[in-house]
């Protein structure tokens, strides 16, 4: 059974709720990043919600995904808990990675979420590896690797796609073309009209869909998932989309003008889908407001939880390097801490 | 400790190559989640004939020939390990490590830590190292220092057939990424190897191969055998203790310190380039932990910061051997 069945009214409403949850999660993260409460970098998914939700809705609960540096949306789409996610963004012990990963490395392996990833193009080899496990064990599940347009220029994307197609592994490559690889337009980074044209190099289907349309993404991924399950190998799906915020929070966005941003905002995936549901009589204005209030409460709860969560103890920095204790780390840590604790004190 | 009772155990004479193949065979038979992948490891049996006929026994799903695509298949091994497989990847020559380095350093090494300990990473990477075959600069490197240096990875580099078998089995059973470095000049070296399928050698333990009282030689890979020959030559004149370091990371500081307590003198012999090499780390541990045991400056034997040249006369110049170990001993004893 797909995680969210877009063939049903309930499913469509749930998809809308997920998209809106992503939107509010990231907008709220932006505020708390600006306030200095969230350390490091954050890369927001605002504008791209239809891609993550459309894709993950078509997956089953035990399917795997690999994500990107812009991963919050993939996490929520895959069903991760915004409260535990926010705690991770705040660097708290109650977060998914006990505060060791942060925005760029959120993962929940048990839920099939194999990690956001700070390296462009690194997810597809990992997704191919998950598909290799599926193939080795004869399991009935698939892997889906999200990647940005930039990842298609990476050698490791090519290597993963070639390996997966050569071995007919059950993996789907979903490329989110948000028009810019960091600050450089996609046309200046690639020499094809559509990124999906490159699928020909692997002799796998390559299609380009409207990434602002959750149903279009969902249908494409559902079909690709069937192909993968049937042993026919990977599919390359390019979803054309747009990020409303900069590459990272704080990006001055010198590479684009506001007219372009406005054009894409005019195609907003959440507004468009809500309108469709209203046209079909599946959602009322009132119902949508109620949904928004519920999401708002969820996000507020996530922030409150993050505020009341605990900072990891400094000595937890030495945990989780290996399966068991390694004497080298223990000895170095003991010597360091005997000299007065944290190296160099508080940052 | 499994290695302690060597003399009581049933053994068989085998080469390093056979010991590695036997370890692979035993672990594949023991655990169906173990599979091999790499370039030309099935039909060809591996370019240096290590995997041999394993594909006939286990089939092509468990001995997979990959495209020449190190980032792809090392990355796939990483993803497979995170999802319940126990892959053993063969990187044909360690010089090809750079192609796969992104997946090694940012994914394989970091996933457990970044995820707060919530994933296992039971992957083994076997690779060949070393000069001596006239294979020139791009097929003769010794790069194990990179891996030993990088947090989150374990590195072993055995010098005997028994160590090769016992360490590879532990590497495969480990839930952490372990790099298994095979010096290609010792594949034909023979020795006694325990036949018990449960024989393993713990990662992180060095082994005193020969006891002595005048000087300690801490050696790796090919230089273990060469140092043992030197010790034999010097018998009656200088009493040489030879340690096979076996694990580069974790590093067995205790065995080094204990030996220095006895001998007060040390030579570190490893085929890495000398600067920032394994030698430096062994010496640092000795100085930090056994400074007052030292009676003479520690000596190191390695490659003098050059690449491996092609012509035999050039390669012979920079490739460390027993003579260099002997020279180093002579300088301090």
């Amino acid at each position: 059974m797909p995680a969210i069945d877009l063939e049903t009214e309930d499913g469509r409403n749930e998809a809308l709720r997920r998209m809106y949850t992503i939107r509010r999660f990231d907008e709220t993260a932006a505020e708390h990043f600006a306030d200095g409460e969230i350390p490091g970098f954050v890369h927001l998914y605002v504008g791209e919600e239809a891609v993550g939700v459309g894709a993950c809705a078509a997956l089953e609960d035990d399917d795997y995904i690999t994500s990107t540096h812009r991963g919050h949306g993939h996490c929520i789409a895959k069903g991760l808990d915004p409260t535990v996610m926010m705690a991770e963004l705040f660097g708290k012990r109650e977060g998914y990675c006990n505060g060791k990963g942060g925005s760029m490395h959120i993962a929940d392996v048990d839920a099939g979420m194999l990690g956001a990833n700070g390296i462009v193009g690194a997810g597809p080899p990992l997704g191919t590896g998950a598909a290799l496990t599926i193939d080795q064990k004869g399991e009935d599940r698939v892997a889906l690797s999200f990647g940005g347009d930039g990842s298609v220029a990476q050698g490791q994307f090519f290597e993963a796609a070639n390996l997966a197609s050569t071995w007919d592994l059950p993996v789907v490559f979903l490329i989110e073309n948000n028009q810019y690889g960091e600050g450089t337009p996609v046309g200046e980074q690639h020499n094809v009209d559509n990124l999906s044209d490159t699928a020909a190099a692997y002799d796998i289907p390559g299609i380009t869909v409207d990434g602002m349309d959750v149903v279009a993404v969902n249908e494409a991924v559902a079909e690709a998932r069937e192909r993968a399950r049937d042993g026919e190998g990977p599919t390359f799906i390019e979803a054309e989309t747009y990020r409303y915020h900069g590459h990272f929070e704080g990006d001055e966005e010198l590479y684009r003008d506001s007219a372009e941003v406005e054009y894409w905002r005019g195609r907003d995936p959440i507004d468009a889908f809500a309108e469709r549901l209203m046209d079909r009589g599946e959602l009322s204005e009132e119902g949508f407001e109620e949904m928004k209030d519920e999401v708002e409460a969820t996000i507020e709860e996530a922030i409150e939880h993050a505020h009341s969560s605990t900072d990891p103890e400094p000595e937890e920095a030495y945990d989780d390097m290996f399966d068991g204790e390694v004497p080298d780390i223990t000895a170095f840590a003991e010597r360091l801490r005997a000299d007065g604790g944290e190296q160099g004190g508080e940052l | 400790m499994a290695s302690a009772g060597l003399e009581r155990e049933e053994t068989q004479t085998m080469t390093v190559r056979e010991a590695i193949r036997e370890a692979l065979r035993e672990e594949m038979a023991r655990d169906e989640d173990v599979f091999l992948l790499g370039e030309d490891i099935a039909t060809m049996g591996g370019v240096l004939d290590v995997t041999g006929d394993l594909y006939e026994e286990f089939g092509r799903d468990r001995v997979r020939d990959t495209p020449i695509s190190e980032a792809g298949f090392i990355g796939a091994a990483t993803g497979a390990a995170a999802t319940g497989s126990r892959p053993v990847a063969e990187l044909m020559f360690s010089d090809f490590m750079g192609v796969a380095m992104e997946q090694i350093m940012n994914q394989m090494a970091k996933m457990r830590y970044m995820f707060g300990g919530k994933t296992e990473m039971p992957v083994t990477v076997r690779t060949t190292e070393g000069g001596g075959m006239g294979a020139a600069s791009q097929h003769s490197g010794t790069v194990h220092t990179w891996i030993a240096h990088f947090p989150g990875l374990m590195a072993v580099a055995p010098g005997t057939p028994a160590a090769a078998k016992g360490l590879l089995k532990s590497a495969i059973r480990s839930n952490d990424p372990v790099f298994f470095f095979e010096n290609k000049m010792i594949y034909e070296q023979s020795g006694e190897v325990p036949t018990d399928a449960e024989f393993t050698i713990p990662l992180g333990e060095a082994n005193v191969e020969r006891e002595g009282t005048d000087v300690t030689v801490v050696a790796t890979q090919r230089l273990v055998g060469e140092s043992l020959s030197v010790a034999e030559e010097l018998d009656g004149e200088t009493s040489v203790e030879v340690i096979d370091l076996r694990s580069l990371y974790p590093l067995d500081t205790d065995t080094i310190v204990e030996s220095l307590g006895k001998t007060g003198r040390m030579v570190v012999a490893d085929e890495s380039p000398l600067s920032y090499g394994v030698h430096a780390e062994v010496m640092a541990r000795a100085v930090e932990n056994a400074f007052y045991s030292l009676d003479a400056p520690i000596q190191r034997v390695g490659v003098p910061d050059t690449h491996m040249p092609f012509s035999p006369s050039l390669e012979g110049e920079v490739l460390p051997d027993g003579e260099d170990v002997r020279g180093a001993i002579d300088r301090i004893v």
Side-chain angles (χ1 to χ4, degrees):
Chain A
M1 238 182 64
I4 304 174
D5 186 357
L6 292 196
E7 301 286 324
T8 69
E9 185 176 329
D10 283 353
R12 289 187 283 271
N13 270 275
E14 179 56 27
L16 180 65
R17 178 189 299 271
R18 283 288 164 101
M19 287 199 287
Y20 191 69
T21 306
I22 294 170
R23 172 76 48 100
R24 289 300 301 136
F25 182 94
D26 264 3
E27 287 175 346
T28 309
E31 290 164 22
H32 291 269
F33 177 78
D35 289 348
E37 285 191 304
I38 295 176
F41 308 140
V42 290
H43 305 81
L44 302 183
Y45 201 63
V46 177
E48 305 186 25
E49 296 89 346
V51 185
V53 172
C56 290
L59 300 180
E60 301 203 359
D61 285 342
D62 64 354
D63 287 344
Y64 295 106
I65 63 166
T66 69
S67 176
T68 68
H69 55 286
R70 200 175 303 289
H72 307 163
H74 306 145
C75 294
I76 292 172
K78 188 73 172 92
L80 270 62
D81 183 344
T83 303
V84 187
M85 285 174 60
M86 196 65 87
E88 186 61 36
L89 263 61
F90 275 66
K92 302 296 180 181
R93 191 197 265 142
E94 289 81 352
Y96 272 108
C97 307
N98 306 353
K100 282 214 175 75
S103 167
M104 263 192 293
H105 309 303
I106 291 191
D108 184 1
V109 175
D110 291 339
M113 163 54 187
L114 300 176
N117 209 311
I119 306 295
V120 171
L126 299 172
T128 298
L132 182 53
T133 289
I134 294 166
D135 191 50
Q136 287 290 127
K137 293 177 184 276
E139 296 171 334
D140 182 18
R141 63 212 295 199
V142 306
L144 181 144
S145 281
F146 287 101
D149 42 272
S151 70
V152 180
Q154 285 280 18
Q156 51 177 339
F157 177 83
F158 178 93
E159 295 198 23
N162 183 60
L163 189 65
S165 62
T166 301
W167 287 354
D168 288 328
L169 295 177
V171 58
V172 178
F173 299 113
L174 179 43
I175 301 307
E176 300 175 315
N177 179 356
N178 66 14
Q179 316 303 322
Y180 292 91
E182 303 203 7
T184 301
V186 87
E188 293 178 27
Q189 300 200 36
H190 306 270
N191 197 35
V192 286
D193 292 333
N194 290 308
L195 297 177
S196 61
D197 295 348
T198 61
Y202 322 108
D203 192 23
I204 61 175
I207 56 168
T208 297
V209 299
D210 181 1
M212 306 306 265
D213 179 350
V214 67
V215 175
V217 175
N218 184 256
E219 285 172 355
V221 173
E223 194 182 329
R225 187 182 185 281
E226 279 311 299
R227 257 195 104 241
R229 275 189 62 220
D230 291 346
E232 292 173 44
T235 301
F236 184 126
I237 302 169
E238 174 190 16
E240 292 217 275
T241 183
Y242 201 72
R243 57 171 161 73
Y244 297 172
H245 286 240
H247 166 59
F248 53 88
E249 283 303 283
D251 175 2
E252 289 183 62
E253 302 179 47
L254 300 173
Y255 48 85
R256 66 183 186 184
D257 59 36
S258 56
E260 182 184 286
V261 180
E262 284 316 306
Y263 164 76
W264 282 93
R265 278 184 182 271
R267 303 193 54 219
D268 188 76
I270 296 173
D271 290 348
F273 194 53
E275 213 168 288
R276 263 161 90 176
L277 296 190
M278 287 179 196
D279 287 349
R280 295 171 68 121
E282 295 175 359
L283 180 73
S284 62
E285 290 280 359
E286 230 169 41
F288 192 27
E289 287 309 312
E290 205 174 298
M291 182 190 285
K292 286 179 171 177
D293 289 344
E294 284 164 9
V295 168
E296 218 51 51
T298 303
I299 302 300
E300 270 172 39
E301 196 186 311
I303 293 292
E304 278 168 31
H305 176 260
H307 281 146
S308 65
S309 291
T310 44
D311 290 329
E313 290 299 323
E315 61 264 31
E316 289 172 32
Y318 306 111
D319 298 339
D320 306 322
M321 282 299 297
F322 293 99
D323 186 23
E325 192 173 311
V326 165
D328 307 63
I329 296 172
T330 307
F332 289 132
E334 276 172 6
R335 196 171 303 166
L336 174 69
R337 296 191 69 76
D339 293 344
E342 285 171 80
Q343 196 151 17
E346 291 267 347
L347 280 173
Chain B
M1 193 174 81
S3 56
L6 255 179
E7 49 293 327
R8 290 195 311 276
E9 283 171 313
E10 206 149 312
T11 64
Q12 191 186 336
T13 307
M14 58 174 82
T15 63
V16 168
R17 178 184 281 112
E18 289 164 343
I20 293 170
R21 191 182 302 164
E22 192 55 22
L24 293 171
R25 177 181 283 121
E26 287 177 6
E27 294 310 298
M28 290 178 80
R30 176 178 180 269
D31 182 350
E32 60 182 21
D33 289 339
V34 176
F35 67 92
L36 316 183
L37 71 171
E39 293 155 3
D40 291 322
I41 65 169
T43 309
M44 271 179 66
V47 72
L48 293 173
D49 194 28
V50 175
T51 45
D53 57 1
L54 287 176
Y55 82 97
E56 288 176 11
E57 194 175 336
F58 294 99
R60 286 175 182 280
D61 283 344
R62 293 187 70 195
V63 185
R64 286 179 176 250
D65 277 331
T66 66
I68 301 170
S69 183
E70 289 83 6
F73 76 78
I74 294 287
T78 304
T83 50
S85 294
R86 203 167 275 279
V88 181
E90 177 176 312
L91 195 59
M92 191 184 280
F93 291 92
S94 63
D95 309 78
F96 308 164
M97 192 87 76
V99 184
M101 207 59 188
E102 199 297 302
Q103 284 288 325
I104 293 168
M105 68 184 282
N106 280 314
Q107 314 302 327
M108 185 190 288
K110 292 179 181 170
M111 278 171 78
R112 176 192 291 276
Y113 190 76
M114 293 191 303
F115 298 176
K118 292 173 190 163
T119 188
E120 304 287 354
M121 191 49 70
V123 55
T124 302
V125 180
R126 293 179 38 242
T127 189
T128 64
E129 295 192 303
M133 284 177 72
S137 293
Q138 294 174 343
H139 290 72
S140 305
T142 293
V143 306
H144 52 233
T145 303
W146 304 0
I147 297 299
H149 173 71
F150 203 86
L153 304 172
M154 292 188 176
V156 298
T160 66
K165 185 181 177 195
L167 286 171
L168 183 53
K169 287 166 70 74
S170 290
I172 295 170
R173 294 183 190 190
S174 168
N175 289 327
D176 291 311
V178 183
F179 282 70
F180 185 88
F181 291 98
E182 303 167 14
N183 181 284
K184 51 178 101 71
M185 299 312 289
I186 62 170
Y187 279 132
E188 281 301 303
Q189 186 180 305
S190 296
E192 290 302 303
V193 179
T195 52
D196 181 356
E198 284 308 305
F199 162 73
T200 58
I201 293 172
L203 305 171
E205 284 188 12
N207 190 52
V208 178
E209 294 287 330
R210 178 190 172 106
E211 296 202 10
T213 52
D214 294 333
V215 59
T216 300
V217 179
V218 176
T220 64
Q221 299 177 313
R222 177 177 54 81
L223 292 169
V224 175
E226 303 230 357
S227 298
L228 286 167
S229 300
V230 170
E232 192 60 40
E233 284 163 31
L234 292 174
D235 194 29
E237 184 185 330
T238 304
S239 171
V240 182
E241 176 143 311
V242 179
I243 294 174
D244 180 358
L245 192 57
R246 302 196 302 202
S247 282
L248 310 177
Y249 195 91
L251 185 60
D252 184 354
T253 308
D254 291 349
T255 296
I256 296 163
V257 168
E258 200 176 309
S259 181
L260 266 175
K262 222 169 27 166
T263 64
R265 291 175 166 79
M266 186 166 81
V267 173
V268 188
D270 176 72
E271 204 181 306
S272 301
L274 282 162
S275 294
Y276 299 92
V278 166
H279 329 80
E281 186 58 33
V282 172
M283 290 167 72
R285 301 280 177 112
V287 170
E288 282 177 332
N289 297 284
F291 183 77
Y292 298 105
S293 299
L294 290 172
D295 296 324
I298 301 171
Q299 301 296 306
R300 50 182 169 170
V301 173
V303 173
D305 291 2
T306 65
H307 300 299
M308 208 45 65
F310 170 62
S311 177
S313 66
L314 301 173
E315 187 179 39
E317 168 66 20
V318 297
L319 199 63
D321 60 13
E323 256 182 68
D324 301 307
V325 173
R326 182 161 184 167
I329 292 172
D330 289 346
R331 288 198 293 272
I332 52 172
V333 176

